Amino acid sequence: LRVRNKNFFRSLAWLRGTWEVSVSGRVVQKGTLPVLKTAPGATDNISLPVRPPVMEPGDEAFLTIRFATAAAEPWCEEGFEVA
């Protein structure tokens, strides 16, 4: 997974990331991303421990990545999903 920080003045340490794999609407794997200290404008690569899901004909699989605030900000509470 390649993560690019589009912030101009802030590293990504203010965020906490999670991932999940779902098959036909059922979450079959999930986990947390390491704390990212990606500098403003920089890019980091992350390896996820995703295993190929067991699927039946007609199933669809999706990988979902979410980022939420690690602490309260002046404009939101801790855990507010931003991406």
Side-chain angles (χ1 to χ4, degrees):
L1 175 68
R2 181 173 291 153
V3 178
R4 185 171 66 157
N5 183 356
K6 291 187 175 183
N7 290 293
F8 290 109
F9 305 106
R10 194 175 194 184
S11 79
L12 293 181
W14 68 284
L15 298 172
R16 295 296 175 262
T18 59
W19 63 269
E20 68 181 32
V21 175
S22 59
V23 175
S24 295
R26 250 178 30 261
V27 175
V28 295
Q29 297 176 58
K30 63 182 177 177
T32 58
L33 298 178
V35 175
L36 299 174
K37 297 180 181 171
T38 312
T43 300
D44 276 330
N45 293 318
I46 303 167
S47 294
L48 299 178
V50 176
R51 298 173 314 278
V54 176
M55 298 176 64
E56 300 294 326
D59 282 347
E60 291 184 307
F62 294 93
L63 171 64
T64 303
I65 308 292
R66 292 186 174 92
F67 288 96
T69 56
E73 296 286 330
W75 50 271
C76 70
E77 296 179 1
E78 178 182 341
F80 183 82
E81 191 170 307
V82 295

Coordinates of all heavy atoms in Angstrom, one line a residue:
L1 N 0.9 -1.2 0.0 CA 0.0 0.0 0.0 C 0.9 1.2 0.0 O 1.8 1.3 0.8 CB -0.9 0.0 1.2 CG -1.8 1.2 1.5 CD1 -2.9 1.3 0.4 CD2 -2.4 1.0 2.9
R2 N 0.7 2.1 -0.9 CA 1.4 3.4 -1.0 C 0.6 4.5 -0.4 O -0.5 4.7 -0.9 CB 1.8 3.7 -2.4 CG 2.7 5.0 -2.5 CD 3.2 5.2 -3.9 NE 4.2 4.2 -4.1 CZ 4.5 3.7 -5.3 NH1 3.9 4.2 -6.4 NH2 5.4 2.8 -5.4
V3 N 1.1 5.2 0.6 CA 0.4 6.3 1.2 C 1.2 7.6 1.0 O 2.4 7.7 1.2 CB 0.3 6.1 2.8 CG1 -0.4 7.2 3.4 CG2 -0.4 4.8 3.1
R4 N 0.4 8.6 0.5 CA 1.1 9.9 0.2 C 0.4 10.9 1.1 O -0.8 11.0 1.2 CB 0.8 10.3 -1.3 CG 1.6 11.6 -1.6 CD 1.6 11.9 -3.1 NE 0.2 12.1 -3.5 CZ -0.1 12.8 -4.6 NH1 0.8 13.3 -5.4 NH2 -1.4 13.0 -4.9
N5 N 1.3 11.7 1.7 CA 0.8 12.8 2.6 C 0.6 14.1 1.8 O 1.6 14.7 1.4 CB 1.8 13.0 3.7 CG 1.4 14.0 4.7 OD1 0.3 14.7 4.6 ND2 2.2 14.2 5.8
K6 N -0.6 14.5 1.7 CA -0.9 15.7 0.9 C -1.0 16.9 1.8 O -1.3 18.0 1.3 CB -2.2 15.5 0.1 CG -2.1 14.5 -1.0 CD -3.4 14.5 -1.8 CE -3.2 13.6 -3.0 NZ -4.4 13.7 -3.9
N7 N -0.7 16.8 3.1 CA -0.6 17.9 4.0 C 0.6 18.7 3.6 O 1.6 18.2 3.2 CB -0.5 17.5 5.5 CG -1.8 16.8 6.0 OD1 -2.8 17.5 6.1 ND2 -1.8 15.5 6.2
F8 N 0.5 20.0 3.9 CA 1.7 20.9 3.6 C 2.6 21.1 4.8 O 3.8 21.4 4.6 CB 1.2 22.3 3.1 CG 0.6 22.3 1.7 CD1 -0.8 22.4 1.6 CD2 1.3 22.0 0.6 CE1 -1.4 22.4 0.3 CE2 0.8 22.0 -0.7 CZ -0.6 22.2 -0.8
F9 N 2.0 21.0 6.0 CA 2.8 21.3 7.2 C 2.8 20.3 8.3 O 3.3 20.5 9.4 CB 2.3 22.7 7.8 CG 2.3 23.8 6.8 CD1 1.1 24.2 6.2 CD2 3.4 24.4 6.4 CE1 1.0 25.2 5.3 CE2 3.4 25.4 5.4 CZ 2.2 25.8 4.9
R10 N 2.2 19.1 8.0 CA 2.0 18.2 9.1 C 2.3 16.7 8.7 O 1.8 16.3 7.6 CB 0.5 18.3 9.5 CG 0.1 17.7 10.8 CD -1.3 18.0 11.1 NE -1.6 17.7 12.5 CZ -2.8 17.9 13.0 NH1 -3.8 18.3 12.3 NH2 -3.0 17.6 14.3
S11 N 2.9 16.0 9.5 CA 3.1 14.6 9.2 C 1.8 13.8 9.4 O 0.8 14.4 9.9 CB 4.2 13.9 10.1 OG 3.7 13.7 11.4
L12 N 1.8 12.5 9.0 CA 0.6 11.8 9.2 C 0.4 11.1 10.6 O -0.5 10.4 10.8 CB 0.5 10.7 8.1 CG 0.3 11.2 6.7 CD1 0.3 10.0 5.7 CD2 -0.9 12.0 6.5
A13 N 1.3 11.5 11.5 CA 1.2 10.9 12.9 C -0.1 11.3 13.6 O -0.4 10.6 14.6 CB 2.4 11.4 13.7
W14 N -0.8 12.3 13.1 CA -2.1 12.7 13.8 C -3.2 11.8 13.4 O -4.3 11.9 14.0 CB -2.4 14.1 13.4 CG -2.8 14.4 12.0 CD1 -1.9 14.5 10.9 CD2 -4.1 14.7 11.5 NE1 -2.7 14.8 9.8 CE2 -4.0 14.9 10.1 CE3 -5.3 14.7 12.1 CZ2 -5.1 15.1 9.3 CZ3 -6.4 15.0 11.3 CH2 -6.3 15.2 9.9
L15 N -3.0 10.8 12.5 CA -4.0 9.9 12.1 C -3.7 8.4 12.5 O -2.5 8.1 12.7 CB -4.1 9.9 10.5 CG -4.5 11.2 9.9 CD1 -4.3 11.1 8.4 CD2 -5.9 11.6 10.3
R16 N -4.7 7.6 12.6 CA -4.6 6.2 12.9 C -5.3 5.5 11.7 O -6.5 5.9 11.4 CB -5.2 5.8 14.2 CG -4.5 6.4 15.4 CD -3.0 5.8 15.5 NE -2.3 6.5 16.6 CZ -1.4 7.5 16.4 NH1 -1.2 8.0 15.2 NH2 -0.8 8.0 17.4
G17 N -4.7 4.5 11.2 CA -5.3 3.8 10.0 C -5.7 2.4 10.4 O -5.1 1.7 11.2
T18 N -6.8 1.9 9.7 CA -7.2 0.6 9.8 C -7.5 0.0 8.4 O -7.7 0.8 7.5 CB -8.5 0.5 10.6 OG1 -9.6 1.3 10.0 CG2 -8.3 0.9 12.1
W19 N -7.5 -1.3 8.3 CA -7.9 -1.9 7.0 C -8.8 -3.1 7.3 O -8.8 -3.6 8.4 CB -6.6 -2.3 6.3 CG -5.8 -3.4 7.0 CD1 -4.8 -3.2 7.9 CD2 -6.0 -4.8 6.9 NE1 -4.3 -4.4 8.4 CE2 -5.0 -5.4 7.8 CE3 -6.8 -5.7 6.2 CZ2 -4.9 -6.8 7.9 CZ3 -6.7 -7.0 6.4 CH2 -5.7 -7.6 7.2
E20 N -9.6 -3.4 6.2 CA -10.4 -4.6 6.3 C -10.6 -5.2 4.9 O -10.7 -4.4 3.9 CB -11.7 -4.3 7.0 CG -12.7 -3.4 6.3 CD -14.0 -3.2 7.0 OE1 -14.0 -3.1 8.3 OE2 -15.0 -3.0 6.4
V21 N -10.8 -6.5 4.9 CA -11.1 -7.2 3.6 C -12.5 -7.7 3.8 O -12.8 -8.4 4.8 CB -10.1 -8.3 3.3 CG1 -10.6 -9.1 2.1 CG2 -8.7 -7.8 3.1
S22 N -13.4 -7.4 2.9 CA -14.7 -8.0 2.9 C -15.0 -8.8 1.7 O -14.5 -8.4 0.6 CB -15.8 -6.9 3.1 OG -15.7 -6.0 2.1
V23 N -15.8 -9.8 1.8 CA -16.2 -10.7 0.7 C -17.7 -10.7 0.7 O -18.3 -11.2 1.7 CB -15.6 -12.1 0.8 CG1 -16.2 -13.0 -0.3 CG2 -14.1 -12.1 0.8
S24 N -18.3 -10.2 -0.3 CA -19.8 -10.2 -0.5 C -20.4 -9.6 0.8 O -21.4 -10.1 1.3 CB -20.3 -11.5 -0.8 OG -19.8 -12.0 -2.0
G25 N -19.8 -8.5 1.3 CA -20.4 -7.7 2.4 C -20.0 -8.3 3.8 O -20.3 -7.7 4.8
R26 N -19.2 -9.4 3.9 CA -18.8 -9.9 5.1 C -17.3 -9.6 5.4 O -16.5 -9.9 4.5 CB -18.9 -11.5 5.0 CG -19.9 -12.1 5.9 CD -20.0 -13.7 5.6 NE -18.7 -14.4 5.3 CZ -18.4 -14.7 4.1 NH1 -19.1 -14.5 3.0 NH2 -17.2 -15.4 3.9
V27 N -17.0 -9.0 6.5 CA -15.6 -8.7 6.9 C -14.9 -10.0 7.2 O -15.4 -10.8 8.1 CB -15.5 -7.7 8.0 CG1 -14.1 -7.5 8.4 CG2 -16.1 -6.4 7.6
V28 N -13.9 -10.4 6.5 CA -13.2 -11.6 6.7 C -11.8 -11.5 7.3 O -11.2 -12.4 7.8 CB -13.1 -12.5 5.4 CG1 -14.5 -12.9 5.0 CG2 -12.4 -11.8 4.3
Q29 N -11.2 -10.2 7.2 CA -9.9 -9.9 7.7 C -9.9 -8.4 8.1 O -10.6 -7.6 7.4 CB -8.8 -10.2 6.7 CG -8.6 -11.6 6.3 CD -7.5 -11.7 5.2 OE1 -6.4 -11.3 5.4 NE2 -7.9 -12.2 4.1
K30 N -9.2 -8.1 9.1 CA -9.0 -6.7 9.5 C -7.8 -6.5 10.3 O -7.2 -7.4 10.9 CB -10.3 -6.2 10.2 CG -10.6 -6.8 11.5 CD -11.8 -6.3 12.1 CE -12.2 -7.0 13.4 NZ -13.4 -6.4 14.0
G31 N -7.3 -5.2 10.4 CA -6.2 -4.9 11.2 C -5.9 -3.4 11.3 O -6.7 -2.6 10.7
T32 N -4.9 -3.0 11.9 CA -4.5 -1.6 12.0 C -3.2 -1.4 11.3 O -2.3 -2.3 11.2 CB -4.3 -1.2 13.5 OG1 -3.3 -2.0 14.1 CG2 -5.6 -1.4 14.3
L33 N -3.1 -0.2 10.8 CA -1.8 0.2 10.1 C -0.8 0.7 11.2 O -1.2 1.1 12.3 CB -2.1 1.4 9.2 CG -3.1 1.1 8.0 CD1 -3.3 2.4 7.2 CD2 -2.5 0.0 7.1
P34 N 0.5 0.6 10.9 CA 1.4 1.2 11.9 C 1.3 2.7 11.9 O 0.7 3.3 11.0 CB 2.8 0.8 11.2 CG 2.5 0.5 9.8 CD 1.1 0.0 9.7
V35 N 1.7 3.3 13.0 CA 1.7 4.7 13.1 C 2.5 5.3 12.0 O 3.7 5.0 11.9 CB 2.1 5.2 14.5 CG1 2.2 6.7 14.5 CG2 1.2 4.7 15.6
L36 N 1.9 6.1 11.2 CA 2.6 6.7 10.0 C 3.2 8.1 10.4 O 2.6 8.9 11.0 CB 1.7 6.9 8.9 CG 1.0 5.7 8.3 CD1 0.0 6.0 7.3 CD2 2.1 4.8 7.7
K37 N 4.5 8.2 10.1 CA 5.2 9.5 10.4 C 5.6 10.1 9.1 O 6.6 10.9 9.0 CB 6.4 9.3 11.3 CG 6.0 8.7 12.7 CD 7.1 8.5 13.6 CE 6.6 8.0 14.9 NZ 7.6 7.5 15.8
T38 N 4.8 9.9 8.0 CA 5.1 10.4 6.7 C 5.2 11.9 6.7 O 4.2 12.5 7.1 CB 4.0 9.9 5.7 OG1 3.9 8.5 5.9 CG2 4.4 10.1 4.3
A39 N 6.3 12.4 6.3 CA 6.5 13.9 6.3 C 5.5 14.5 5.2 O 5.1 13.9 4.3 CB 7.9 14.2 5.9
P40 N 5.3 15.8 5.4 CA 4.4 16.6 4.4 C 5.0 16.4 3.0 O 6.2 16.5 2.8 CB 4.5 18.0 4.9 CG 4.8 17.9 6.3 CD 5.7 16.7 6.5
G41 N 4.1 16.0 2.1 CA 4.5 15.8 0.7 C 5.2 14.5 0.4 O 5.4 14.3 -0.8
A42 N 5.5 13.7 1.4 CA 6.2 12.5 1.2 C 5.3 11.3 1.0 O 4.1 11.4 1.2 CB 7.2 12.2 2.4
T43 N 5.9 10.2 0.6 CA 5.2 8.9 0.4 C 5.8 7.8 1.1 O 7.1 7.8 1.2 CB 5.2 8.6 -1.1 OG1 4.6 9.7 -1.9 CG2 4.4 7.3 -1.4
D44 N 5.0 6.9 1.7 CA 5.5 5.7 2.4 C 4.9 4.5 1.8 O 3.7 4.6 1.4 CB 5.3 5.8 3.9 CG 6.3 6.5 4.6 OD1 7.5 6.6 4.2 OD2 6.0 7.1 5.7
N45 N 5.6 3.4 1.8 CA 5.0 2.1 1.4 C 4.8 1.2 2.7 O 5.7 1.2 3.5 CB 5.9 1.4 0.4 CG 6.0 2.1 -0.9 OD1 5.0 2.6 -1.4 ND2 7.2 2.2 -1.4
I46 N 3.6 0.6 2.7 CA 3.3 -0.2 3.9 C 2.9 -1.6 3.4 O 2.1 -1.7 2.4 CB 2.1 0.4 4.6 CG1 2.3 1.8 5.1 CG2 1.7 -0.5 5.8 CD1 1.1 2.5 5.5
S47 N 3.4 -2.7 4.0 CA 2.9 -4.0 3.7 C 1.8 -4.4 4.6 O 1.9 -4.2 5.8 CB 4.1 -5.0 3.9 OG 5.1 -4.7 2.9
L48 N 0.7 -4.9 4.1 CA -0.4 -5.4 4.8 C -0.4 -6.9 4.9 O -0.1 -7.6 3.9 CB -1.7 -4.9 4.2 CG -1.9 -3.4 4.1 CD1 -3.3 -3.1 3.4 CD2 -1.9 -2.8 5.5
P49 N -0.7 -7.5 6.0 CA -0.7 -9.0 6.1 C -2.0 -9.6 5.6 O -2.7 -10.4 6.3 CB -0.6 -9.2 7.7 CG -1.3 -8.0 8.3 CD -1.0 -6.9 7.3
V50 N -2.4 -9.2 4.4 CA -3.6 -9.7 3.8 C -3.4 -11.1 3.2 O -2.5 -11.2 2.4 CB -4.2 -8.7 2.8 CG1 -5.4 -9.2 2.1 CG2 -4.4 -7.3 3.4
R51 N -4.3 -12.0 3.5 CA -4.2 -13.3 2.9 C -5.3 -13.4 1.8 O -6.4 -12.8 1.9 CB -4.5 -14.4 3.9 CG -3.4 -14.5 5.0 CD -3.8 -15.4 6.1 NE -5.2 -15.3 6.6 CZ -5.6 -14.5 7.5 NH1 -4.8 -13.5 8.0 NH2 -6.9 -14.5 7.9
P52 N -5.1 -14.1 0.7 CA -6.2 -14.3 -0.3 C -7.4 -14.8 0.4 O -7.3 -15.9 1.0 CB -5.6 -15.2 -1.3 CG -4.1 -15.2 -1.1 CD -3.9 -14.9 0.3
P53 N -8.6 -14.2 0.2 CA -9.8 -14.7 0.9 C -10.3 -15.9 0.1 O -10.1 -16.1 -1.1 CB -10.7 -13.5 0.8 CG -10.3 -12.7 -0.4 CD -8.8 -12.9 -0.4
V54 N -11.1 -16.7 0.9 CA -11.8 -17.8 0.3 C -13.0 -17.2 -0.3 O -13.8 -16.5 0.3 CB -12.2 -18.8 1.4 CG1 -13.0 -19.9 0.8 CG2 -10.9 -19.4 2.1
M55 N -13.2 -17.5 -1.6 CA -14.3 -17.0 -2.4 C -15.1 -18.1 -3.2 O -14.5 -19.0 -3.6 CB -13.8 -15.9 -3.3 CG -13.2 -14.7 -2.6 SD -12.5 -13.4 -3.6 CE -14.0 -12.8 -4.4
E56 N -16.3 -17.8 -3.3 CA -17.2 -18.7 -4.2 C -17.4 -18.0 -5.5 O -17.3 -16.7 -5.6 CB -18.5 -19.0 -3.5 CG -18.4 -19.7 -2.1 CD -17.8 -21.1 -2.3 OE1 -18.1 -21.8 -3.3 OE2 -17.1 -21.5 -1.4
P57 N -17.9 -18.7 -6.5 CA -18.2 -18.0 -7.8 C -19.3 -16.9 -7.5 O -20.2 -17.1 -6.8 CB -18.8 -19.1 -8.7 CG -18.1 -20.4 -8.1 CD -18.0 -20.1 -6.6
G58 N -19.0 -15.7 -8.1 CA -20.0 -14.6 -7.9 C -19.7 -13.7 -6.8 O -20.3 -12.7 -6.6
D59 N -18.7 -14.1 -5.8 CA -18.4 -13.3 -4.7 C -17.5 -12.1 -5.2 O -16.8 -12.2 -6.2 CB -17.5 -14.0 -3.7 CG -18.3 -14.9 -2.8 OD1 -19.6 -14.8 -2.8 OD2 -17.7 -15.8 -2.1
E60 N -17.6 -11.0 -4.5 CA -16.7 -9.8 -4.7 C -15.9 -9.5 -3.5 O -16.5 -9.6 -2.4 CB -17.6 -8.6 -5.0 CG -18.3 -8.6 -6.4 CD -19.0 -7.3 -6.6 OE1 -19.8 -6.9 -5.8 OE2 -18.8 -6.8 -7.7
A61 N -14.7 -9.2 -3.6 CA -13.8 -8.9 -2.5 C -13.4 -7.4 -2.6 O -13.1 -6.9 -3.7 CB -12.6 -9.8 -2.5
F62 N -13.3 -6.8 -1.4 CA -12.9 -5.4 -1.3 C -11.9 -5.2 -0.2 O -12.1 -5.7 0.9 CB -14.1 -4.4 -1.1 CG -15.1 -4.4 -2.2 CD1 -16.2 -5.3 -2.3 CD2 -14.9 -3.5 -3.3 CE1 -17.1 -5.3 -3.3 CE2 -15.8 -3.5 -4.4 CZ -16.9 -4.4 -4.4
L63 N -10.9 -4.4 -0.4 CA -10.0 -3.9 0.6 C -10.4 -2.5 0.9 O -10.4 -1.6 0.0 CB -8.6 -4.0 0.1 CG -7.5 -3.3 1.0 CD1 -7.4 -4.1 2.4 CD2 -6.2 -3.3 0.4
T64 N -10.7 -2.2 2.2 CA -11.1 -0.8 2.6 C -10.0 -0.3 3.6 O -9.7 -1.0 4.6 CB -12.4 -0.8 3.3 OG1 -13.4 -1.4 2.4 CG2 -12.9 0.6 3.7
I65 N -9.5 0.9 3.3 CA -8.5 1.5 4.2 C -9.2 2.8 4.8 O -9.8 3.5 4.0 CB -7.3 2.0 3.4 CG1 -6.7 0.8 2.6 CG2 -6.3 2.6 4.3 CD1 -6.1 -0.3 3.4
R66 N -9.1 2.9 6.1 CA -9.7 4.1 6.7 C -8.7 4.8 7.6 O -7.8 4.2 8.2 CB -10.9 3.7 7.6 CG -12.1 3.1 6.9 CD -13.2 2.9 7.9 NE -14.4 2.5 7.2 CZ -14.7 1.2 6.9 NH1 -14.0 0.2 7.3 NH2 -15.8 1.0 6.3
F67 N -8.8 6.1 7.6 CA -7.9 7.0 8.5 C -8.8 7.8 9.4 O -9.8 8.5 8.9 CB -7.0 7.9 7.7 CG -5.9 7.1 7.0 CD1 -6.0 6.7 5.7 CD2 -4.7 6.8 7.7 CE1 -5.0 6.0 5.1 CE2 -3.7 6.1 7.1 CZ -3.9 5.7 5.8
A68 N -8.5 7.8 10.7 CA -9.3 8.6 11.7 C -8.3 9.4 12.5 O -7.1 9.0 12.6 CB -10.2 7.7 12.5
T69 N -8.8 10.4 13.2 CA -7.9 11.2 14.1 C -7.5 10.4 15.3 O -8.3 9.7 15.9 CB -8.6 12.5 14.5 OG1 -9.9 12.2 15.2 CG2 -8.9 13.4 13.4
A70 N -6.2 10.5 15.6 CA -5.7 9.8 16.8 C -6.1 10.5 18.1 O -6.1 9.9 19.2 CB -4.2 9.6 16.7
A71 N -6.3 11.8 18.0 CA -6.7 12.6 19.2 C -7.7 13.6 18.8 O -7.9 13.8 17.6 CB -5.4 13.3 19.8
A72 N -8.3 14.2 19.8 CA -9.3 15.3 19.5 C -8.6 16.5 18.8 O -7.4 16.8 19.1 CB -10.0 15.8 20.7
E73 N -9.2 17.1 17.8 CA -8.7 18.3 17.1 C -9.7 19.4 17.5 O -10.8 19.1 17.9 CB -8.7 18.0 15.6 CG -7.7 16.9 15.2 CD -6.3 17.3 15.2 OE1 -6.0 18.6 15.1 OE2 -5.4 16.5 15.5
P74 N -9.3 20.6 17.2 CA -10.2 21.8 17.5 C -11.6 21.6 16.7 O -12.6 22.1 17.1 CB -9.5 23.0 17.0 CG -8.0 22.6 17.1 CD -8.0 21.1 16.8
W75 N -11.6 20.9 15.6 CA -12.7 20.8 14.8 C -13.4 19.4 14.8 O -14.4 19.2 14.2 CB -12.3 21.1 13.3 CG -11.2 20.3 12.8 CD1 -9.8 20.7 13.0 CD2 -11.1 19.0 12.2 NE1 -9.0 19.7 12.4 CE2 -9.8 18.7 12.0 CE3 -12.1 18.1 11.8 CZ2 -9.4 17.5 11.4 CZ3 -11.7 16.9 11.2 CH2 -10.4 16.6 11.0
C76 N -12.9 18.4 15.7 CA -13.5 17.1 15.7 C -13.1 16.4 17.0 O -12.1 16.8 17.6 CB -13.2 16.3 14.5 SG -11.5 15.7 14.4
E77 N -13.8 15.3 17.3 CA -13.4 14.5 18.4 C -12.4 13.4 18.0 O -12.2 13.2 16.7 CB -14.7 13.7 18.9 CG -15.7 14.7 19.5 CD -17.0 13.9 20.0 OE1 -17.0 12.7 19.9 OE2 -17.9 14.6 20.5
E78 N -11.8 12.7 18.9 CA -10.9 11.6 18.6 C -11.7 10.5 17.9 O -12.8 10.3 18.2 CB -10.3 11.1 19.9 CG -9.4 9.9 19.7 CD -8.9 9.3 21.0 OE1 -8.9 10.0 22.0 OE2 -8.5 8.1 21.0
G79 N -11.0 9.9 16.9 CA -11.7 8.9 16.2 C -12.5 9.3 15.0 O -13.2 8.5 14.3
F80 N -12.5 10.6 14.7 CA -13.3 11.1 13.6 C -12.7 10.6 12.2 O -11.5 10.8 12.0 CB -13.4 12.6 13.6 CG -14.2 13.2 12.5 CD1 -15.6 13.3 12.7 CD2 -13.6 13.8 11.4 CE1 -16.3 13.9 11.7 CE2 -14.4 14.3 10.4 CZ -15.7 14.4 10.5
E81 N -13.4 9.9 11.4 CA -12.9 9.4 10.2 C -12.7 10.5 9.1 O -13.7 11.3 8.9 CB -13.9 8.4 9.6 CG -13.3 7.6 8.4 CD -14.2 6.4 8.0 OE1 -14.5 5.6 8.9 OE2 -14.5 6.3 6.8
V82 N -11.5 10.6 8.6 CA -11.2 11.7 7.7 C -10.9 11.2 6.2 O -10.9 12.0 5.3 CB -10.0 12.6 8.1 CG1 -10.4 13.4 9.4 CG2 -8.8 11.8 8.3
A83 N -10.6 9.9 6.1 CA -10.4 9.3 4.8 C -10.6 7.9 4.8 O -10.6 7.2 5.9 CB -8.9 9.6 4.4

